[in-house]
Amino acid sequence: MSSTPASGGRAAAPVRLDPDLNPAPGIPARHRSDHGSAFLRFTDQLASAAADLLSLAVPVDCVCCGAEDRALCVPCDRHIRRLTAVPFRAERGAPALMDVDGLVLLPVVAAGVYREELAQAMLSFKRHGQHQLKRSLGRALGGAVRAACEGSGEIRLVPVPTSTKAYLNRGFSPVHLLLGGASQLAGLAVADVLAKTGGSVLQLPGGQKGLGRGARAQRVRGSMRVSRRGQGRVAGRRCVIIDDVLTTGSTLSEAARALRAAGAHVAGAVVLAATRPPDAEGHSAPPPKTRGSHRDLEKNKPRKDE
């Protein structure tokens, strides 16, 4: 979970600190697929052709730019690849994961910053059930997991559970679905052992959006546990927590507490996207503008004149 080699293992992949300070250079692709096998690339092409035929019967628009025929058009998919090309350490933007002396309580690797096409695609995936985005977002999460865990020996990936209410509203768990779409995780075991307890100190209506650091921490405190069946899978094991978005870090901190109580060694966490830390007045820093016209990240399409 760090840029230093793990004891007894290979050197971990380098993880830079901030993608805005040192943008990654463009890397030409050898092929337009996640696979090195010619046969698997051919199956990808068949799946793409089938998606084109399906779009004739069920028209869809790109969730980022509104282009027709694809839930995520090729240019927007390419931009998400650029935004998540090099994972980075993100815990310093999460107050719950740092102590008063500035020491790291839980290291976190993020695939990208929560902004532009990445933010738009994540909102469409989570709130509007755009499951077609699972592959693109899962690929980004898988790349961050590989960068964080390479050379660390045997690791258990532990997804953060979704609440019962959120699961009933969505019909799926975003983190579990993203892990299922990550093709780079071969050889890494997923231990789905965390569960919600419903026993947090403070139950507030609605989600965590708009809550401050203290309210978020109170909301999730004591809200997770390791199931009895799952304790044997993580006790004495090195575990990495998996979540979709990092904000204050309260959720990851609670997940780490529950795992440690079950005897697990929590090596760190990996998230798909990390939000920018709040400014001096406590407001979240506004995300950079997306390419082209202004877009409302609460919707699937750009605003249009009536």
Side-chain angles (χ1 to χ4, degrees):
M1 285 301 303
S2 66
S3 58
T4 58
S7 58
R10 295 175 299 161
V15 178
R16 59 193 174 90
L17 297 179
D18 195 310
D20 288 337
L21 298 180
N22 299 294
I27 303 175
R30 293 183 178 179
H31 48 73
R32 296 178 179 273
S33 175
D34 298 331
H35 309 291
S37 167
F39 174 76
L40 293 178
R41 293 202 299 272
F42 177 68
T43 59
D44 278 353
Q45 293 172 358
L46 288 180
S48 179
D52 290 338
L53 290 176
L54 182 61
S55 67
L56 297 177
V58 185
V60 294
D61 294 339
C62 175
V63 299
C64 296
C65 69
E68 297 179 349
D69 297 339
R70 293 290 184 90
L72 186 66
C73 69
V74 173
C76 289
D77 185 30
R78 185 182 301 119
H79 198 60
I80 289 178
R81 285 176 181 257
R82 293 195 184 108
L83 291 172
T84 58
V86 182
F88 64 98
R89 290 285 293 270
E91 68 275 357
R92 294 193 178 278
L97 305 181
M98 306 289 296
D99 70 4
V100 293
D101 295 324
L103 298 178
V104 177
L105 301 177
L106 183 71
V108 181
V109 172
V113 177
Y114 187 79
R115 64 179 186 183
E116 300 181 35
E117 282 81 355
L118 180 58
Q120 182 78 357
M122 291 183 66
L123 281 172
S124 298
F125 174 74
K126 293 179 62 175
R127 298 186 181 180
H128 303 287
Q130 295 283 1
H131 291 185
Q132 307 96 315
L133 307 176
K134 177 183 73 171
R135 181 176 177 181
S136 180
L137 297 178
R139 178 180 61 226
L141 177 62
V145 171
R146 298 299 299 189
C149 298
E150 186 176 4
S152 298
E154 186 178 1
I155 289 288
R156 294 284 191 274
L157 305 181
V158 182
V160 170
T162 188
S163 66
T164 302
K165 180 179 180 181
Y167 185 87
L168 291 176
N169 288 337
R170 295 182 182 133
F172 66 98
S173 170
V175 178
H176 291 77
L177 202 59
L178 288 174
L179 280 175
S183 59
Q184 307 97 317
L185 301 184
L188 293 176
V190 177
D192 189 11
V193 299
L194 284 175
K196 292 284 188 177
T197 64
S200 59
V201 175
L202 180 63
Q203 292 291 339
L204 298 175
Q208 296 195 76
K209 183 179 179 181
L211 297 180
R213 173 187 175 185
R216 284 177 181 261
Q218 279 190 303
R219 184 180 178 86
V220 302
R221 187 175 300 141
S223 64
M224 295 185 204
R225 63 177 176 83
V226 174
S227 63
R228 290 185 178 180
R229 292 183 178 182
Q231 290 181 2
R233 299 178 61 188
V234 296
R237 306 276 188 172
R238 288 173 56 83
C239 297
V240 172
I241 305 168
I242 308 296
D243 204 0
D244 51 2
V245 180
L246 171 66
T247 49
T248 65
S250 298
T251 299
L252 292 180
S253 178
E254 169 61 15
R257 181 205 62 77
L259 286 170
R260 287 167 180 151
H265 172 63
V266 182
V270 177
V271 297
L272 177 55
T275 61
R276 283 306 189 192
D279 56 23
E281 297 180 358
H283 304 293
S284 295
K289 294 182 179 180
T290 57
R291 295 178 295 136
S293 59
H294 173 72
R295 298 178 184 132
D296 186 354
L297 294 183
E298 297 295 328
K299 299 180 180 179
N300 279 3
K301 299 180 182 179
R303 292 176 176 173
K304 298 180 180 179
D305 295 333
E306 299 293 339

